[in-house]
Amino acid sequence: MTQKEAFMQRLTIDDLKKIKEQYEGTFALRHGGYRAKVTIHMGTCGIAAGARTVMGALVEALAQKDVQDVIITASGCAGFCSKEPMATVEILGQAPVKYCCLDPEKMKRIFAEHIQGGNIVQEYALVMGNENSY
Amino acid sequence: MDKFRANLMLCGGTGCIAGGGLKVKQAMDAELRKRGLEKEINVVITGCNGFCAQGPIMTVYPDGTFYEKLTPADVPEIVEEHLLKGRPLERLMYREPEKKQPLPVMSEIPFFNLQVLRALRNKGLIDPENIEEYIARDGYKAAAKALSSMTPEEIIQEMKSADLRGRGGAGFPTGLKWELCYMVQAPLKYILCNGDEGDPGAFMDRSIMEGDPHVVLEGMIIGAKAIGASKGYIYVRAEYPLAVQRLQKAIKDAKAYGLLGDDILGTGFNLDIEIYLGAGAFVCGEATALMRSIEGKRGMPIPKPPHTTTQGLWRRPTVLNNVETYANIPAIILNGAAWFKSLGTEKSTGTKVFALTGAVNNIGLVEVPMGMPLRKIIFDIGGGMKKGRKFKAVQLGGPSGGCIPEALLDTPVTFEDIAKTGAIVGSGGMVVIDDYNCMVSVAKFFLEFTTDESCGKCPPCRIGTKVMHDRLVDITEGRGKEGDIELLEDLSHDIINTSLCGLGQSAPNPVLTTIKYFREEFESHIKEGWCKAGVCRPLTTFYVDQESCKGCGACARVCPQKAVSGEKKKPYSIDQTLCVKCRSCYEACKFGALKIGPGSLGKELIEKAKGVQTR
């Protein structure tokens, strides 16, 4: 959080660019030193479907194995409410994979097989890639 | 408006960017400028396509050529050969890999590939409670541009040429609204955001506030600069606790960064934004009622004019826009009006977010270019009807909208075309209704809602909707009379013409459209005492068709009343004295042997059964 504290001050327009450059790394996994990022979609729909327990299971699994190079983050609704809880797993240099209809057990398996093992868990996966936004 | 003859879709996914995608984009921009093609050919950065191993990739439209493993050095050749001479470059074209990916990619699934995310561009991508992630996605860049290098007139002009229309329902041109407010001289003006999303089944605004709260703030900053406002309120209903919490965090972080408050980004511009919690009254989504509510008064509308742009909150000039409208604004300022208009139709530009729900397979939040036919949204994006049932109607615009039948499914979703059907685009609720539903009951449901939510200030709405609702209850309970349909139509027109605000003026729409497209259902309720969908219990009798019953017993197993009986492989029958008309048997039968008869049939069958016993 030291990066953040250094910035928590009144910004100028140039500062916006600096923050963008600095956070693009962690945000897009490009040069943040992380190997993978897991986004749990936590809009009202996701939380109602059990996203918090999915997040809990993942945090626990990471702590157990003492994994340091994976970011867990929360985000808003992924848009496919009937398939919540959803999570997006992004391994550096590979297309993001969206998993759907998750529960803690499924998340643990995804952690072991996909995040640690590098193999997509086909049964739970919905799709690869990101939507077009332009 | 600039029409591009070709669009180059460069993948902006992590893999492609890591492989040098941005350098390819820079080279492409430079090459197009050098050849004077930048007005003819558009370069677009897209989401990840899932072909990361082949990246950087690029698709050329309209022809759909797919290039892989691009380098900046390839760019001049592509421009020369493909874009000028029309000869796609074989050398760089994508070759089908030997083994197909077992997992589908976004571009193969209609739910994803027909969507274009603009208002939802950060949907599920950023951490909404992290302002830096928003900034990393070009957040506050548009606000910086508007505050530092644009005059209010320039901002308003950009909005007017983008033809952005209010996404809250009415479709009023945003640029014009801003201009009207800008022209009023006043020491204090307000900018408001309407997050009082009240339509049943609608959750577009909630999702934006929850998933990307900063975009709302940024839109409001730009609007405030355009009209000269220094104070803003976001009106959110208290039933959206997560949205409120994330907006609060967003405002706190933005203030800490000097993106709200005094002297924003060192430009000398001041804007303070506060959240105002609404108690969930539907009428408070109406502009004047919303403003009374913020003033601490009872949320009731007042007559217009004076319009709120001259006398709004605390009688000061005020602009009120919807959440989704604000979510569109930063991108317009950054990319320009021509970019915005490159999607949509001439009069309905850009994209619209819909909350697709009801009897479709894929329920969710979808953003599509305006002008897409309803059929495509429901059957391609929505993945068709659930449980293989038949489509009956789609309800658009909530309690102010209407039901559109199958015959009109090819209607493009634009403000004008939808209005012609009697429904409205509205805020974007899209409820798909299957043939298990009775349209009289659907009309009754929406009218019950508006009757409840009528604030009571004006008699046409307060009394008129109640009288209409009573008629509908009578019809669904078997007390319908000849002339009821005409009475409903007559009352509807009176209420529309004489109500004070939009709530009353649109409340009869669900009834009018169901009468217009499903009149025979109203008639069979009234004249035959028969609800053919089997929903209105007094007007329904379930019976087993002896001819087509195979005697499988599925109906008897699900009956909670043990009213269905029979022997295996022989036709079953229902004891009408026990039947509670719960539909379980009807839905369980796989052979269509369960039939729906008029309400009076039940009595006849009971009489008949008695006759058999006494004989």
Side-chain angles (χ1 to χ4, degrees), chain A:
Chain A
M1 282 296 124
T2 48
Q3 280 180 335
K4 189 163 183 154
E5 278 157 16
F7 272 121
M8 268 297 169
Q9 57 193 15
R10 302 189 58 83
L11 301 184
T12 64
I13 293 171
D14 279 340
D15 293 335
L16 280 179
K17 284 181 201 135
K18 282 182 212 149
I19 294 185
K20 183 180 168 181
E21 281 163 18
Q22 190 159 355
Y23 276 83
E24 250 172 350
T26 43
F27 166 66
L29 253 186
R30 222 161 298 146
H31 29 67
Y34 293 98
R35 181 174 62 78
K37 173 172 144 177
V38 185
T39 307
I40 312 281
H41 297 283
M42 294 177 100
T44 295
C45 44
I47 293 172
R52 284 198 207 282
T53 61
V54 173
M55 167 83 97
L58 181 64
V59 170
E60 203 179 295
L62 246 65
Q64 261 174 20
K65 300 268 176 202
D66 195 27
V67 175
Q68 300 290 342
D69 54 357
V70 174
I71 318 173
I72 309 180
T73 174
S75 182
C77 166
F80 214 144
C81 309
S82 51
K83 296 208 188 295
E84 297 280 0
M86 289 177 69
T88 306
V89 175
E90 200 176 347
I91 310 273
L92 191 62
Q94 294 174 18
V97 175
K98 279 197 168 31
Y99 287 101
C100 63
C101 309
L102 293 176
D103 60 30
E105 288 311 308
K106 290 182 182 173
M107 192 70 234
K108 279 183 202 156
R109 207 181 128 195
I110 292 166
F111 169 75
E113 293 181 20
H114 187 179
I115 301 168
Q116 297 287 79
N119 299 313
I120 298 171
V121 185
Q122 300 283 345
E123 297 154 67
Y124 311 149
L126 174 70
V127 67
M128 256 164 70
N130 275 341
E131 290 100 329
N132 284 337
S133 57
Y134 55 91

Side-chain angles (χ1 to χ4, degrees), chain B residues 46-66:
Chain B
T46 70
C48 173
N49 289 279
F51 296 103
C52 305
Q54 280 86 29
I57 60 163
M58 179 177 83
T59 318
V60 180
Y61 286 107
D63 51 298
T65 307
F66 190 100

Side-chain angles (χ1 to χ4, degrees), chain B residues 60-82:
Chain B
V60 180
Y61 286 107
D63 51 298
T65 307
F66 190 100
Y67 289 122
E68 61 174 18
K69 293 181 184 155
L70 294 176
T71 64
D74 297 324
V75 167
E77 201 180 343
I78 293 177
V79 174
E80 173 74 27
E81 289 295 313
H82 189 157

